[in-house]
Amino acid sequence: MTNPTTLKQIVAQLSQIRVLPILVADDVQKAIRTVAALAENGLTAVEITLRTPNALKVLAEVVKACPDVCVGAGTILTGEQLRAVQDTGAAFGISPGITPLLARLAADSGLPYFPGVGGASDLMLALEHGFNTVKLFPSDLVGSTKMAKALGGPFPDVKFCLTGGVTVESTPQLLQQSNVLCVGGSWMCPAALIEAGDWDAIGKLAAAAAAAGK
Ligand code: 3PG
């Protein structure tokens, strides 16, 4: 399959996989092995967070090493990070929240982008900038499917990626809500398994996550 590049194509891929792994990694080789284990087990898109000192390098190297994976950048908090992410070749960007400045820069950047929202005001700001697929974060604390369902009233065309506190057990039920595009989470690539280089265990968690998304 050709790797998606437009927002529409990325949304289409997420609507198939329905589980977006969120990777926190500082070591390039370990990140590549982790992303490969995720992809081999059905999770062919990944968010790599900008939460480690080496994250931009990790992103750029994973993009190069895993051309069949749709690799995005997460935890984009500033315009500077947004610009740096574009240099890595990442396919998309995600933020945990939204600010007027970042929303404008993201809209101008052309990078497929998913802002984070915690409620109606955030969502109105996202829509002002043309973003109608958003991350609901932290999903478990702001109401999860109840919040997504309630926001579906005034905002019927918006789709949500529920992230924060999602588990393999909660995934099937969360995905039943009609305006939930996908869930995101870090549970299938925990730091301890990455550190230990246990790709088999990560692969098993990924397979279970992919199955929960079916
Ligand atoms: C995120 O970056 O969206 C969250 O840290 C992921 O949440 P989780 O670690 O609870 O899955």
Side-chain angles (χ1 to χ4, degrees):
M1 190 176 78
T2 316
N3 224 8
T5 51
T6 66
L7 180 66
K8 201 172 160 195
Q9 289 170 338
I10 292 163
V11 168
Q13 183 173 9
L14 292 175
S15 76
Q16 295 293 311
I17 312 168
R18 306 209 75 195
V19 177
L20 178 66
I22 297 175
L23 175 60
V24 182
D26 201 41
D27 180 279
V28 168
Q29 290 314 316
K30 284 182 171 157
I32 290 171
R33 292 297 299 270
T34 301
V35 171
L38 296 171
E40 279 159 20
N41 288 281
L43 301 181
T44 52
V46 65
E47 171 190 331
I48 297 180
T49 65
L50 300 186
R51 287 189 217 165
T52 64
N54 213 19
L56 287 168
K57 169 104 179 134
V58 167
L59 253 175
E61 295 301 322
V62 172
V63 167
K64 271 191 256 164
C66 307
D68 295 333
V69 181
C70 182
V71 181
T75 324
I76 297 174
L77 305 180
T78 66
E80 209 169 65
Q81 287 177 325
L82 182 74
R83 272 190 297 277
V85 158
Q86 288 191 279
D87 292 338
T88 68
F92 62 92
I94 303 191
S95 298
I98 185 165
T99 71
L101 175 60
L102 192 52
R104 182 169 58 74
L105 292 172
D108 289 348
S109 75
L111 181 73
Y113 177 70
F114 304 95
V117 306
S121 299
D122 293 347
L123 195 43
M124 288 166 67
L125 179 57
L127 290 169
E128 277 178 8
H129 292 84
F131 301 114
N132 65 1
T133 305
V134 297
K135 166 169 171 155
L136 185 68
F137 180 80
S139 170
D140 55 344
L141 299 180
V142 299
S144 194
T145 48
K146 274 192 185 164
M147 174 65 99
K149 189 175 178 193
L151 291 172
F155 308 104
D157 298 329
V158 170
K159 296 279 184 218
F160 296 94
C161 176
L162 305 185
T163 303
V166 178
T167 64
V168 69
E169 290 83 13
S170 65
T171 291
Q173 183 255 323
L174 299 179
L175 291 176
Q176 275 173 25
Q177 171 60 34
S178 60
N179 58 356
V180 171
L181 171 74
C182 63
V183 298
S186 61
W187 79 85
M188 67 299 281
C189 42
L193 293 184
I194 298 173
E195 188 50 39
D198 195 342
W199 320 122
D200 285 350
I202 290 172
K204 285 193 183 113
L205 290 173
K214 296 280 175 238

